[in-house]
């Protein structure tokens, strides 16, 4: 890579990492607030920073620092992408955040342990001092 391409790769990685950290922060806040829809939305946005896995990697030998994508209106654009090493680093940062979401989802689907019935284990009667006779 040329120095300009290296600088562009570093900028892309820094920007993507900042967005992953932002989505992760708000995802964890939503988890703390027990807000499942927001937690899932932020997790999806965080993972969305990885891009479309079907169109991300270029396997040809031409310039791999960019790939074509459509804006939904039939117009093709060039979107810069991370090289494999930087993509792997971003991928690992996303993976580091997923155990928090996994624990939250497991907690939501795990039934609470059964409560012991008050009659099942009677508490000893409190000792009440008797007045002198």
């Amino acid at each position: 890579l040329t120095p300009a391409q290296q600088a562009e790769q570093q900028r892309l990685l820094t920007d993507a990492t900042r967005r992953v950290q932002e989505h992760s922060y708000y995802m964890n806040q939503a988890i703390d607030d027990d807000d499942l829809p927001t937690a899932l939305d932020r997790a999806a946005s965080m993972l969305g920073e990885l891009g479309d896995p079907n169109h991300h990697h270029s396997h040809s030998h031409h310039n791999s620092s960019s790939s074509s994508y459509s804006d939904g209106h039939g117009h093709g654009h060039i979107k810069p992408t991370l090289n494999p090493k930087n993509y792997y680093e971003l991928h690992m940062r996303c993976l580091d955040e997923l155990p928090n979401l996994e624990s939250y989802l497991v907690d939501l689907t795990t039934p609470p342990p059964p409560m012991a019935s008050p009659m099942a284990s009677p508490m000893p009667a409190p000792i009440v001092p008797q007045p002198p006779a």
Side-chain angles (χ1 to χ4, degrees):
L1 292 175
T2 67
Q5 289 172 323
Q6 288 176 340
E8 175 70 2
Q9 280 295 306
Q10 189 57 50
R11 183 189 65 77
L12 290 170
L13 179 60
T14 299
D15 290 349
T17 298
R18 181 191 53 76
R19 289 188 301 269
V20 163
Q21 289 171 334
E22 179 180 331
H23 292 306
S24 171
Y25 173 80
Y26 289 114
M27 176 189 74
N28 286 316
Q29 268 197 331
I31 289 170
D32 291 344
D33 294 341
D34 200 21
D35 182 358
L36 178 61
T38 301
L40 292 175
D41 183 55
R42 287 301 185 152
S45 296
M46 178 182 71
L47 294 173
E49 291 299 325
L50 295 173
D52 183 352
N54 297 320
H55 302 313
H56 185 76
H57 296 291
S58 173
H59 296 288
S60 61
H61 294 286
H62 65 277
N63 182 2
S64 62
S65 66
S66 63
S67 61
S68 294
Y69 74 99
S70 172
D71 63 4
H73 301 288
H75 301 104
H77 294 279
I78 300 299
K79 179 182 179 185
T81 58
L82 294 169
N83 63 30
K85 176 182 176 282
N86 288 346
Y87 183 84
Y88 176 79
E89 185 174 331
L90 185 66
H91 179 261
M92 294 307 294
R93 288 177 193 255
C94 287
L95 286 181
D96 287 345
E97 300 303 328
L98 291 179
N100 297 335
L101 179 63
E102 179 185 21
S103 294
Y104 175 62
L105 294 174
V106 167
D107 288 347
L108 286 177
T109 59
T110 304
M115 295 289 291
S117 132
M119 300 313 249
S121 58
M123 297 287 290
I127 299 174
V128 179
Q130 296 295 322

